[in-house]
Amino acid sequence: MKRIWYDAVRALGGTPDAGDLVERYAEPHRAYHNTFHVVSVVRDSSALADAFAFSVEERAILALAACAHDVIYDGKPGEDERSSAAWARERLAGLPEEHIARVESLVLATITHSSDDPLAHVLLDADLAILGSEPTHYDRYSQAVRQEYAQYDDAAWRVGRAAVLKTLLDREALFVTEPARQLWDATARINLARELQSLA
């Protein structure tokens, strides 16, 4: 992951500083939002980007945003993403402001999972790719998320999680880009419906 960060910063003409990037994702309280997750998002966003005519600079910006999008994770939705965006801005000091601002905006887009930026579309789809994984991988994901919200009792968890799953299933499209829809949409809906049923 550090190599990906370094290569992307260099591609944008900067001097790499990954700070505590690797250490952050290895924090013990992270059952899902950990190194495996961020490496998966970097991999999947890069694969999706192959379908689009992104420039070398844009692909570097996408890689940086993918690396940084969950670098701060304390289980505080919204606050975590804003802190991650601030972390990225600090580490990318010295790059042109337009590049820093775009990385920052991509990270912030993960708060609402909506954006007009084509790079964000790819990042957001990669972030949700786990939903379309094979059932055993999906089950490990849902169990890991449950661990990260261990402060809630089972009754509260079922209510909250069911609401999230229903919101996702009610979307006309789970994924923004056509390549992601083709890869993951059908399986994701099966996985989400199966988990929702298990919570009933």
Side-chain angles (χ1 to χ4, degrees), residues 14 23 38 47 61 82 92-93 101 111 120-121 166 168-169 173 190 198:
E23 293 77 11
V38 72
I61 288 166
R82 284 185 284 272
L92 297 175
I111 296 175
H121 297 166
K166 287 175 183 174
L168 288 168
L169 284 167
I190 292 170
S198 77

Side-chain angles (χ1 to χ4, degrees), residues 14 107 117 121 182:
V107 174
D117 189 331
H121 297 166
Q182 292 180 8

Side-chain angles (χ1 to χ4, degrees), residues 11-199:
L12 297 174
T15 301
D17 172 16
D20 56 353
L21 177 70
V22 173
E23 293 77 11
R24 285 280 186 177
Y25 282 106
E27 291 168 339
H29 69 278
R30 296 172 182 254
Y32 173 66
H33 294 88
N34 53 23
T35 302
F36 181 80
H37 167 66
V38 72
V39 169
S40 297
V41 172
V42 170
R43 178 199 65 214
D44 291 336
S45 60
S46 178
L48 288 176
D50 290 342
F52 301 95
F54 294 152
S55 67
V56 171
E57 283 187 350
E58 287 176 321
R59 291 188 70 123
I61 288 166
L62 177 61
L64 292 171
C67 285
H69 82 283
D70 280 328
V71 68
I72 308 296
Y73 184 77
D74 294 314
K76 300 175 181 177
E79 185 176 328
D80 288 339
E81 291 86 352
R82 284 185 284 272
S83 295
S84 294
W87 181 97
R89 172 168 283 280
E90 182 179 350
R91 291 291 171 268
L92 297 175
L95 287 182
E97 171 58 26
E98 62 181 345
H99 295 335
I100 298 173
R102 198 167 186 193
V103 171
E104 189 176 39
S105 71
L106 293 178
V107 174
L108 292 173
T110 64
I111 296 175
T112 59
H113 262 252
S114 63
S115 174
D116 294 328
D117 189 331
L119 291 186
H121 297 166
V122 169
L123 175 62
L124 298 176
D125 281 353
D127 195 26
L128 293 183
I130 186 64
L131 302 182
S133 62
E134 62 179 70
T136 54
H137 291 168
Y138 181 90
D139 290 345
R140 282 198 293 271
Y141 144 75
S142 62
Q143 291 161 11
V145 172
R146 175 67 181 106
Q147 290 177 40
E148 290 186 344
Y149 286 87
Q151 68 269 33
Y152 297 102
D153 63 32
D154 286 342
W157 165 255
R158 284 195 297 270
V159 170
R161 183 65 176 170
V164 170
L165 298 175
K166 287 175 183 174
T167 298
L168 288 168
L169 284 167
D170 285 345
R171 287 187 185 181
E172 185 175 342
L174 278 170
F175 300 96
V176 184
T177 66
E178 184 58 32
R181 286 195 288 268
Q182 292 180 8
L183 283 169
W184 301 311
D185 190 89
T187 304
R189 291 185 182 279
I190 292 170
N191 283 331
L192 292 167
R194 182 169 55 84
E195 185 185 359
L196 182 59
Q197 186 176 23
S198 77
L199 296 171

